[in-house]
Amino acid sequence: MKKIFILHIIILISSTLFAQAFLSNNNALISTKDGALVSVQGDIFIENNGIFDNSDTIKFTHNWINNASNTGFSSVDEGYVYMIGEDQRIQGTDETHFYNLLLKNSGIKYGDLDVYVDGFLDLDSLEFNLDTNVVYVTSADINAVLNDEGFVSSLLNGGISRATNTIDEYMFPVGSSIYGKIYRPISLTTTTSNQVYRVRFADEDATFDGYDREERALRICAINDIYYHKIWQDTGADSSDLKFYFKAAEDGSQYNDIAQWKDSIPQWEKTPSDTLINGTTWDVLEVNNWNNYETENFALAFSKEAFADAGQDQSIYLLDTVQINGSGGDFYEWTPSFAVECSDCPNTIFWSDSTQTMILRVEDIDNCVDFDSVNITVDDRFDTDADLPFIPDGISPNGDGVNDSWYIRWLYKYPDNEVIIVNRWEDIVYQAGPYQNDWYGTFNGKDLPEGTYYYILKIKENGVLKDTYTGPMTIIK
């Protein structure tokens, strides 16, 4: 017949046969009623269907080992279990369902298998190391997890799981001590009830785990190389508001966004973050109404708004050229490259004989990449269809036979003309009347330097000025 012990006093189990005391519950029911305390200066073993009926308090200083083929407790919705030693472990072949579990004193508490807490989990200021396991907090009370910068650490798919049943903010205190203690919690504010989330802090460069930080969407300049978070939505599909707590002084002051790794692409993409709050204790990045858990990987990111500019769409006539101007960054690349004189220059000459959409890739010194495009329409009408001279805004007198001279199309229709070209100080560097389309960017027989100059084209009729055209003209070599 199974033995039953009703305890109303402090019980200290010790033995002179062992250096360490222990309590062994072998095929027995140990009951602690209101006002009772079981205090064990050593391990607690539960074996052979042994079980606790705990409506008050159990404290122990070493390990909890459950090999009893049950969840450890017959009591429901009551009882406190304190881990009051230094380094302690929850072990065994069977998962224990604690009601209230409190981590106290010092050291690291370990879960060598999954742990269930049906009431509240008090981490205090300690680390609860789950390895690849999970601590399941099944109570949906928002105060079911308590801490004073204590945290849950884990590997792979381990972490802390919390149930929710109200529209409120649920904290997930996660961190690590692999490379020195670091505590970086997140919170989820649910928009509907009955969700279950699981969170893990990954104290590792995401690249080492297969999530290459160099594979980023446009305008994401950097991904945090110190750590990232994993968030699973294990039950439910509704959205929630996420808050990522970090310390800009330690983690990097540039971070202004949250990125999520997408396996389907694969690359990091903006969530995006809705709000950045800089505080004294914590800096916070908020993401509102998020429900995309295609993958569980989230990281601090540095991003920018669109900055590439390829200029305005333009139209030219067949065999003419036009300058196109890119801006916004430090490194440039035009494609298709055959349509321009210099494919890696911000400002270049377009000389294609067919209409093109020019794609401009811009990169800046922060490793941010952006794209813009410009459409250049090539009109293949004959000269006779034109009523006005076409004046190019640039030349490239480098001897390659393309755009070497400043060629004003259809100028032959206006033989009574005069051209004046001045530099930025309004010094005349070239003057001719009539102009014969034969200026190669020289002054007194010497090549002028690259830069922007200004032209004045005067069209006359019977010696009387009829029209004047002015504008900038750039020399590119």
Side-chain angles (χ1 to χ4, degrees):
M1 183 176 180
K2 184 178 291 186
K3 297 179 181 179
I4 299 177
F5 298 91
I6 309 298
L7 302 180
H8 299 276
I9 59 173
I10 296 177
I11 297 182
L12 299 177
I13 309 296
S14 62
S15 173
T16 59
L17 299 178
F18 301 95
Q20 177 183 301
F22 66 92
L23 168 63
S24 178
N25 181 353
N26 189 346
N27 194 31
L29 168 64
I30 296 180
S31 179
T32 55
K33 296 303 182 183
D34 292 346
L37 165 66
V38 172
S39 180
V40 179
Q41 302 298 309
D43 297 324
I44 293 181
F45 292 89
I46 315 175
E47 300 177 292
N48 194 23
N49 292 312
I51 201 162
F52 285 93
D53 181 9
N54 179 34
S55 61
D56 204 292
T57 303
I58 298 173
K59 295 183 178 181
F60 63 102
T61 62
H62 286 78
N63 300 324
W64 177 281
I65 304 101
N66 183 0
N67 297 323
S69 300
N70 60 41
T71 60
F73 292 91
S74 60
S75 49
V76 178
D77 295 343
E78 59 182 356
Y80 298 81
V81 175
Y82 288 78
M83 302 177 74
I84 61 171
E86 296 182 355
D87 291 354
Q88 293 179 265
R89 314 189 84 92
I90 298 174
Q91 301 175 306
T93 58
D94 301 299
E95 297 164 349
T96 300
H97 285 240
F98 300 94
Y99 185 65
N100 298 316
L101 179 62
L102 301 90
L103 314 186
K104 299 296 178 179
N105 198 2
S106 62
I108 299 176
K109 316 301 182 181
Y110 296 89
D112 292 347
L113 71 172
D114 290 344
V115 176
Y116 287 81
V117 178
D118 300 323
F120 71 81
L121 171 65
D122 185 358
L123 298 166
D124 203 345
S125 59
L126 304 178
E127 177 183 355
F128 195 11
N129 187 321
L130 271 297
D131 193 66
T132 60
N133 305 303
V134 179
V135 54
Y136 293 93
V137 180
T138 62
S139 169
D141 190 324
I142 61 169
N143 296 313
V145 177
L146 307 173
N147 79 317
D148 181 15
E149 296 209 352
F151 57 84
V152 172
S153 64
S154 53
L155 303 172
L156 299 180
N157 296 329
I160 177 172
S161 170
R162 295 199 64 176
T164 71
N165 68 355
T166 186
I167 301 175
D168 213 326
E169 183 174 5
Y170 288 80
M171 292 297 299
F172 291 78
V174 289
S176 174
S177 62
I178 295 176
Y179 305 110
K181 184 177 179 180
I182 180 170
Y183 167 54
R184 295 294 183 269
I186 70 167
S187 72
L188 293 99
T189 299
T190 56
T191 55
T192 59
S193 58
N194 301 319
Q195 310 281 306
V196 176
Y197 294 94
R198 176 166 39 104
V199 175
R200 177 200 158 202
F201 176 82
D203 192 8
E204 188 69 273
D205 184 335
T207 298
F208 298 158
D209 289 340
Y211 316 115
D212 190 347
R213 292 183 296 101
E214 296 304 314
E215 298 296 332
R216 307 185 299 271
L218 292 181
R219 300 187 293 278
I220 296 181
C221 316
I223 300 295
N224 182 10
D225 62 352
I226 304 173
Y227 64 82
Y228 64 103
H229 285 85
K230 288 180 174 288
I231 307 173
W232 294 267
Q233 189 176 31
D234 288 332
T235 299
D238 294 318
S239 62
S240 58
D241 298 337
L242 283 68
K243 289 183 181 180
F244 294 79
Y245 293 81
F246 70 105
K247 296 187 177 182
E250 300 175 16
D251 303 336
S253 59
Q254 75 273 29
Y255 296 119
N256 61 354
D257 222 327
I258 297 296
Q260 181 188 29
W261 175 263
K262 299 293 183 68
D263 285 332
S264 58
I265 301 178
Q267 68 179 14
W268 291 95
E269 294 200 335
K270 294 175 63 173
T271 50
S273 170
D274 291 284
T275 308
L276 169 62
I277 303 172
N278 295 117
T280 302
T281 303
W282 292 104
D283 303 287
V284 182
L285 279 163
E286 297 183 359
V287 180
N288 295 331
N289 295 314
W290 189 256
N291 66 349
N292 184 348
Y293 295 91
E294 173 188 334
T295 67
E296 65 274 10
N297 306 296
F298 296 82
L300 301 179
F302 169 39
S303 69
K304 292 185 178 182
E305 298 298 324
F307 57 87
D309 187 356
Q312 298 297 314
D313 294 346
Q314 301 189 59
S315 296
I316 63 173
Y317 289 96
L318 185 64
L319 302 182
D320 284 328
T321 61
V322 68
Q323 180 171 318
I324 53 177
N325 302 303
S327 62
D330 301 281
F331 308 98
Y332 300 85
E333 181 181 6
W334 293 96
T335 55
S337 59
F338 68 80
V340 293
E341 183 181 42
C342 177
S343 63
D344 60 357
C345 301
N347 306 322
T348 187
I349 301 298
F350 175 91
W351 57 22
S352 176
D353 59 1
S354 62
T355 296
Q356 301 288 343
T357 296
M358 298 303 302
I359 307 298
L360 177 63
R361 181 185 186 275
V362 180
E363 184 175 349
D364 66 15
I365 58 174
D366 292 322
N367 296 318
C368 289
V369 175
D370 194 17
F371 285 84
D372 195 20
S373 64
V374 61
N375 295 315
I376 309 297
T377 302
V378 177
D379 192 333
D380 60 359
R381 291 183 298 173
F382 290 108
D383 290 0
T384 54
D385 295 330
D387 296 324
L388 299 174
F390 179 82
I391 307 172
D393 58 4
I395 61 174
S396 57
N398 55 11
D400 62 0
V402 179
N403 203 44
D404 285 333
S405 67
W406 193 50
Y407 183 81
I408 302 176
R409 200 168 181 80
W410 309 310
L411 189 61
Y412 67 87
K413 293 184 178 182
Y414 312 97
D416 191 2
N417 67 70
E418 181 183 11
V419 164
I420 300 172
I421 296 177
V422 300
N423 61 22
R424 60 177 140 176
W425 297 283
E426 299 186 358
D427 300 322
I428 296 176
V429 298
Y430 179 80
Q431 186 171 6
Y435 178 55
Q436 303 295 327
N437 283 331
D438 57 355
W439 184 60
Y440 290 82
T442 61
F443 176 64
N444 289 336
K446 296 182 179 180
D447 292 339
L448 287 167
E450 287 186 317
T452 300
Y453 298 80
Y454 301 89
Y455 66 82
I456 303 169
L457 170 61
K458 298 179 180 180
I459 302 297
K460 303 177 183 178
E461 190 174 296
N462 299 322
V464 177
L465 182 65
K466 181 180 178 182
D467 291 298
T468 300
Y469 302 91
T470 63
M473 190 277 302
T474 303
I475 296 177
I476 300 176
K477 297 182 180 179

